[in-house]
Structures are given as C-alpha cells and as structure tokens.
Amino acid sequence: MRGKLMFITGLAAGFVLGSRAGREKYEEISANAKKVWEHPTVQEAAGVAQAQANKLYTEGKDKLNQSKLGEKLHSASTTRSTTTSTTTNDFSASGVGSNSTGTTY
C-alpha cells in the first residue's frame, strides 16, 4: 500500500513538474488532495492508524524497559547523569568551565 501511495505521489509530482499548464494543474491536484484528505472516511482511517501507532510505540517501549537491555540502558543513563551532575558541579566549584557533556575547557 505504501509503495502504491509513493508511486501515485511521484506520478502526480512528475505530471505537475512536466506539465505546460503548471500552476493550474498544481492547484487542481492540490484541491483534490485536500478534498480527499478532509473526507471523513480518510480522517477516520488516519485516526485509527495514529492510535495503532501510539499503542505499538507504548508496547514496544514497555517491553524494552522490561528486558535486560532496557535495564542496562536505564542503569547506564542513571549512572551517566549522576556522574555528569557530580562532574559538572565539581568543575563549577573550581572555576573551570564545562559544557553539557562534561567536557572541560
């Protein structure tokens, strides 16, 4: 389905760019595309797709967090933020500048 959509989009773009009527055809295609996009059936399908994408994202994120890799990533980021905070505070107290990554100047 995605391939067909990309093909039609490419075909439309090629037609517009290659057309002598140029702007008129562009406006016509643009108006038709807007009309299709605003159709209630298309909007309903887009809403369903968005909801499904959000659900899959949340499920994937939860599964990752529950895996051993997720635990390692979480502990590494916690350790890194603690180390960076300590390092930044130490440098700030000594008058040496540092950037957000903890690199000293």
Side-chain angles (χ1 to χ4, degrees):
M1 180 67 183
R2 183 174 182 230
K4 288 181 184 179
L5 182 61
M6 293 297 290
F7 175 76
I8 291 170
T9 303
L11 188 65
F15 179 78
V16 169
L17 294 173
S19 173
R20 290 184 183 211
R23 188 68 180 177
E24 288 177 22
K25 287 296 179 184
Y26 169 77
E27 295 295 335
E28 182 181 335
I29 291 170
S30 177
N32 287 334
K34 185 175 181 180
K35 193 182 299 183
V36 168
W37 180 251
E38 292 175 350
H39 194 276
T41 305
V42 174
Q43 286 298 306
E44 183 179 339
V48 168
Q50 181 68 42
Q52 184 68 20
N54 288 339
K55 179 181 173 187
L56 290 172
Y57 170 77
T58 303
E59 288 175 359
K61 184 178 171 184
D62 290 343
K63 284 183 182 181
L64 177 63
N65 287 335
Q66 293 171 358
S67 71
K68 289 183 181 181
L69 177 61
E71 290 173 6
K72 286 181 181 179
L73 290 173
H74 181 66
S75 67
S77 69
T78 304
T79 303
R80 187 179 324 126
S81 68
T82 303
T83 304
T84 303
S85 296
T86 304
T87 305
T88 303
N89 290 339
D90 289 346
F91 285 129
S92 297
S94 66
V96 176
S98 67
N99 63 15
S100 62
T101 62
T103 306
T104 58
Y105 300 118

